[in-house]
Amino acid sequence: MKYIDLRSDTVTRPTKAMRTAMFEAEVGDDVYGEDPTVNELERLSTEMLGTESAIFASSGTQSNLLALMSHCSRGDEYIVGQKAHIYKYEGGGAAVLGAIQPQPLDFREDGTFDLKQVAAAVKPDDFHFARTKLLCLENTHNGLALPMDYFYKAKSFTEKYGLSLHLDGARIFNAAVKENVSAKEIAKHFDSISVCLSKGLGSPVGSVLCGTNQVIQSARRWRKVLGGGMRQVGILAAAGVYALKNHVERLAEDHENALILAKGLEEIEELQVNYTTAQTNMVFLEAAKDYAVSLSEHLAQKGILIWGDETIRLVTHLDINEEDIRRTILVFKEFFK
Ligand SMILES: *Cc1c(COP(=O)(O)O)cnc(C)c1O
């Protein structure tokens, strides 16, 4: 049975063409800087994000950690969303491995910060306090593409306060496709950007951290320290190169499918579809407690996998087509009949 797996866009499997690219990849020892395919991935990422440099990382978690450890030292602080991945879902790595303190603040509904609130959280230069060094944003955040004009505000804010600006751009290409701009238009405001190759772009593994030469040079050192200096890793980088060349524009299909799904599910009275978040490839909805569990069991029996029970998240991706979406809507409706 083919599963319609809507739990996450991380569940994609490499396509045949991607596997061929991996199979045929030229490789060398990347710790010596001699893997041509890794070098090509880093060059291509630099070009597409418009940054000075880039480094291949094993995961988004590692890539974000490399950025945090490059921007901040022991006793420094980063300002981050209370519900940001980099704060909430990365095992406290910045504290564990970097001796860096987070200052979490609430995101607003649209995924931005109230910059007045951020200003109040920046610590004065006084030995009682950690040294505030970095502001982190996330785009997309829960499927929301942040407003393009907000980046200008965030950038001038960080300039005024002498902070660096990092973007957890795990899904920056979803944001760029949604806004109909190149990823550069988003990336240009940031000192570093972490990009996941293993989400909607469909690579089996890997992220790239893009940024200034200074940040990436430091990240290269920290990646080695963290055990991330890999050898003939061009086998994996080849998937990333393939994804960046072939799987960016098609993200629009995932967004269309998410919208079809949101519209279809909205017809079901018992469900509350959150429309504002259905901008890119995610649909969030609320189901009442009394049938939440039996709903996901019913779907699983029909080969449809979802994440959550009362708050449900459905994610479209490379391995989901419009037919799968129609079937999903049908099976949801069947349950409520
Ligand atoms: C997935 C994700 C990451 C990194 O995840 P890994 O599983 O470590 O690759 C970081 N930020 C966001 C917003 C993500 O969705």
Side-chain angles (χ1 to χ4, degrees):
M1 174 156 83
K2 185 208 162 188
Y3 278 98
I4 299 176
D5 194 342
L6 298 164
R7 289 172 301 165
S8 175
D9 48 7
T10 56
V11 301
T12 56
R13 303 215 167 76
T15 61
K16 199 149 183 252
M18 183 181 275
R19 285 174 195 261
T20 303
M22 295 171 78
F23 183 78
E24 289 172 354
E26 263 189 75
V27 295
D29 192 328
D30 182 51
V31 175
Y32 296 152
E34 291 174 2
D35 190 301
T37 310
V38 172
N39 293 343
E40 169 59 6
L41 174 64
E42 293 176 353
R43 188 204 60 76
L44 181 61
S45 308
T46 297
E47 184 186 299
M48 290 175 78
L49 276 291
T51 56
E52 284 175 0
S53 194
I55 182 172
F56 185 39
S58 60
S59 67
T61 299
Q62 186 184 60
S63 172
N64 277 329
L65 181 59
L66 295 178
L68 290 172
M69 291 177 77
S70 299
H71 289 296
C72 304
S73 309
R74 182 181 181 84
D76 290 348
E77 171 183 88
Y78 66 109
I79 297 176
V80 62
Q82 195 75 252
K83 290 187 177 163
H85 197 284
I86 199 168
Y87 170 62
K88 196 174 171 188
Y89 299 99
E90 299 187 1
V96 175
L97 298 158
I100 305 160
Q101 160 174 299
Q103 168 63 70
L105 296 175
D106 287 332
F107 282 133
R108 293 186 291 202
E109 288 261 298
D110 64 355
T112 64
F113 287 115
D114 176 348
L115 292 173
K116 283 201 204 88
Q117 215 181 340
V118 180
V122 175
K123 312 290 182 289
D125 183 10
D126 172 322
F127 62 63
H128 288 87
F129 304 117
R131 293 171 296 252
T132 312
K133 284 288 169 68
L134 177 71
L135 178 65
C136 298
L137 300 178
E138 185 174 305
N139 196 22
T140 60
H141 173 64
N142 285 344
L144 283 171
L146 270 53
M148 292 295 290
D149 62 348
Y150 179 71
F151 302 124
Y152 289 91
K153 294 176 194 156
K155 180 66 183 171
S156 63
F157 176 88
T158 52
E159 275 169 358
K160 182 174 163 196
Y161 286 88
L163 310 179
S164 296
L165 187 58
H166 172 71
L167 180 67
D168 181 352
R171 298 184 181 84
I172 189 176
F173 285 108
N174 292 87
V177 165
K178 149 81 179 133
E179 296 293 341
N180 204 16
V181 296
S182 81
K184 281 185 209 170
E185 286 304 307
I186 299 171
K188 68 181 182 186
H189 304 282
F190 294 87
D191 300 295
S192 56
I193 308 102
S194 171
V195 182
C196 280
L197 302 166
S198 62
K199 304 257 161 100
L201 295 184
S203 284
V205 62
S207 282
V208 278
L209 179 67
C210 303
T212 60
N213 284 329
Q214 199 188 353
V215 171
I216 301 306
Q217 205 175 3
S218 162
R220 213 167 275 286
R221 180 177 183 80
W222 285 124
R223 189 185 64 174
K224 182 68 185 162
V225 172
L226 295 169
M230 295 182 280
R231 303 292 178 173
Q232 285 72 27
V233 70
I235 301 271
L236 298 178
V241 171
Y242 185 88
L244 288 174
K245 287 184 175 167
N246 297 283
H247 290 168
V248 171
E249 280 161 33
R250 65 150 306 285
L251 292 171
E253 291 170 37
D254 297 344
H255 301 177
E256 282 159 27
N257 282 335
L259 202 58
I260 296 171
L261 187 59
K263 282 183 180 154
L265 296 180
E266 204 184 30
E267 290 168 13
I268 302 170
E269 232 172 78
E270 293 89 341
L271 296 175
Q272 301 284 307
V273 177
N274 182 344
Y275 242 102
T276 38
T277 59
Q279 289 188 3
T280 58
N281 69 333
M282 293 186 190
V283 179
F284 284 86
L285 47 102
E286 304 289 330
K289 209 177 186 156
D290 27 329
Y291 51 72
V293 173
S294 51
L295 170 62
S296 71
E297 281 170 3
H298 169 80
L299 290 163
Q301 268 172 15
K302 303 280 177 177
I304 298 167
L305 306 179
I306 62 169
W307 180 91
D309 35 61
E310 282 169 64
T311 298
I312 295 168
R313 186 187 76 172
L314 306 167
V315 188
T316 57
H317 52 75
L318 190 59
D319 294 351
I320 300 290
N321 57 30
E322 194 180 326
E323 200 184 310
D324 298 329
I325 295 296
R326 303 271 175 217
R327 175 161 163 75
T328 301
I329 296 167
L330 218 70
V331 175
F332 262 92
K333 286 187 174 166
E334 197 179 274
F335 174 82
F336 286 103
K337 235 180 232 168

